[in-house]
């Protein structure tokens, strides 16, 4: 029997639940926050830029009247900011943590802590955030963590000798590496929660190719804004809307039929677009030894240790 296309109308109500969404000021992060707010969740928009975050909050309140929503500042490229966010978060409990924010194919940059920007933001920042919010997650009845990866994780490779600062920087290789790290982290978090007897579901998603401004950031930083504009237009020809790109993440977060360690994404047209369904990750993303090694390295680099009791 063929699985029917999943829609937000299939989702159970989220009244009384608290959802934290990183990078919620635009793109699939904003759409994820808007859908969860419409379902009744109290949403926390975790954004780096206060002005863009404020505009997103105003827009959400217009598009989802009556929504409970807050703005909190978070820069995943700064471990100090991650710690401040986790300490000051205006919620005693977190039911849903959506690790969505990310950067893609940037020229070489480093985070405030000296890590390669894409690995540091996309993986290490979310690793630290999840660990610091773990006590609030474990307070919830059925907490869920969703980490957003990419189909390009299949081209990712991690060199544990220089995982965040390779000798030769390639912007797409660095992006693919960070997205592979997202999946290794998500799977290892699921297994560690199981071993600890914690009722926490860790799953992953990918948006396919969604028409967001993410693909324009790298060229713009290189002084090629026109190229960035053309890339966004090209993505629009083959990809899907921001709303459609958000649906795999929303399904992973709220669909009770999604088990821990699932990977949800569009499965139509080579995974570029389509309804959110269960999909396969690469063999490298299923390597449990690498996942454990990455976890240990991430603890060492961030100084964050997960405590399950």
């Amino acid at each position: 029997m063929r699985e029917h296309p999943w829609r937000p109308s299939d989702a159970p109500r989220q009244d009384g639940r608290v959802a934290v969404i990183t990078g919620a000021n635009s793109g699939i992060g904003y759409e994820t926050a808007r859908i969860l707010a419409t379902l009744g969740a109290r949403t926390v928009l975790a954004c780096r830029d206060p002005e863009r975050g404020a505009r997103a909050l105003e827009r959400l309140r217009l598009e989802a009247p009556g929504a409970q929503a807050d703005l909190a500042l978070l820069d995943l490229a700064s471990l100090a900011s991650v710690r401040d966010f986790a300490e000051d978060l205006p919620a005693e409990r977190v039911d849903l943590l959506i690790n969505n924010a990310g950067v893609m194919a940037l020229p070489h940059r480093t985070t405030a802590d000296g890590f390669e920007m894409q690995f540091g933001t996309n993986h290490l920042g979310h690793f630290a955030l999840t660990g610091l919010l773990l006590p609030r997650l474990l307070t919830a009845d059925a907490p869920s963590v969703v980490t957003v990866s990419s189909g390009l994780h299949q081209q990712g490779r991690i060199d544990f000798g220089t995982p965040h600062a390779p000798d030769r920087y390639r912007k797409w290789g660095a992006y693919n590496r960070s997205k592979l790290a997202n999946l290794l982290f998500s799977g290892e978090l699921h297994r560690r929660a199981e071993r600890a007897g914690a009722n926490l579901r860790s799953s992953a998603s990918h948006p396919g190719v969604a028409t967001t401004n993410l693909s324009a950031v790298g060229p713009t930083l290189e002084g090629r804004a026109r190229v960035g504009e053309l890339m966004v237009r090209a993505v629009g020809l083959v990809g899907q809307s921001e709303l459609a790109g958000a649906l795999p993440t929303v399904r992973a977060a709220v669909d009770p039929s999604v088990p821990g360690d699932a990977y949800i994404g569009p499965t139509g047209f080579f995974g570029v677009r389509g309804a959110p369904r269960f999909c396969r990750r690469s063999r490298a993303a299923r390597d449990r030894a690498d996942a454990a090694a990455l976890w240990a390295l991430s603890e060492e680099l961030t100084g964050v240790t997960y405590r399950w009791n």
Side-chain angles (χ1 to χ4, degrees):
M1 182 176 178
R2 188 174 181 180
E3 180 186 9
H4 81 278
W6 190 89
R7 306 175 183 87
S9 58
D10 297 319
R13 293 287 302 175
Q14 300 296 302
D15 300 283
R17 307 191 82 195
V18 177
V20 174
I21 306 98
T22 67
N25 59 274
S26 65
I28 64 172
Y30 172 80
E31 291 297 336
T32 300
R34 186 184 61 79
I35 295 171
L36 292 175
T38 301
L39 291 171
R42 174 189 169 193
T43 57
V44 178
L45 282 62
C47 304
R48 179 179 59 85
D49 187 305
E51 293 184 2
R52 295 178 66 193
R55 289 196 295 269
L57 181 61
E58 181 180 4
R59 176 186 170 193
L60 188 147
R61 288 173 172 168
L62 287 173
E63 295 181 345
Q68 300 180 65
D70 300 292
L71 172 64
L73 299 183
L74 169 66
D75 183 357
L76 288 161
S78 165
L79 292 176
S81 175
V82 173
R83 290 183 182 278
D84 288 344
F85 174 89
E87 183 177 340
D88 298 337
L89 181 67
E92 296 181 357
R93 185 190 75 250
V94 175
D95 299 272
L96 304 173
L97 173 59
I98 312 298
N99 290 326
N100 162 79
V103 292
M104 183 176 74
L106 303 181
H108 188 263
R109 298 284 192 279
T110 56
T111 69
D113 304 283
F115 307 129
E116 186 276 311
M117 182 64 77
Q118 297 189 82
F119 187 81
T121 300
N122 299 354
H123 169 62
L124 290 176
H126 281 125
F127 177 91
L129 176 67
T130 306
L132 292 170
L133 291 182
L134 187 61
R136 303 194 197 206
L137 285 160
L138 296 179
T139 300
D141 292 333
S144 177
V145 177
V146 181
T147 303
V148 180
S149 183
S150 165
L152 290 175
H153 83 273
Q154 298 181 47
Q155 281 75 54
R157 296 292 181 271
I158 296 180
D159 179 354
F160 285 97
T162 56
H164 64 89
D167 293 334
R168 290 189 63 187
Y169 180 77
R170 295 181 175 87
K171 62 183 181 181
W172 282 107
Y175 177 73
N176 300 344
R177 180 185 306 112
S178 72
K179 294 290 102 178
L180 172 59
N182 286 153
L183 282 176
L184 290 171
F185 162 66
S186 177
E188 185 68 8
L189 177 60
H190 163 73
R191 289 185 290 273
R192 288 177 181 249
E194 277 197 327
R195 290 198 296 267
N199 184 30
L200 181 147
R201 181 176 67 177
S202 172
S203 57
S205 66
H206 81 88
V209 176
T211 309
T212 72
N213 62 2
L214 186 63
S215 57
V217 175
T220 299
L221 289 176
E222 294 171 334
R224 300 185 299 152
R226 180 59 178 166
V227 173
E229 293 174 4
L230 293 174
M231 288 184 67
V232 171
R233 292 182 184 179
V235 167
L237 293 176
V238 298
Q240 56 185 2
S241 68
E242 295 174 349
L243 171 59
L247 293 186
T249 299
V250 176
R251 182 178 184 186
V254 304
D255 184 351
S257 72
V258 174
D261 203 24
Y263 183 37
I264 305 293
T267 54
F269 192 62
F270 302 100
V272 169
R273 59 176 183 259
R277 295 188 171 95
F278 294 87
C279 53
R280 286 180 59 82
R281 64 198 78 193
S282 70
R283 179 178 296 180
R286 302 193 304 270
D287 190 313
R288 295 193 176 193
D290 278 358
L294 177 64
W295 189 283
L297 177 66
S298 301
E299 287 187 330
E300 176 186 343
L301 294 176
T302 64
V304 174
T305 301
Y306 283 50
R307 304 192 183 281
W308 297 96
N309 51 40

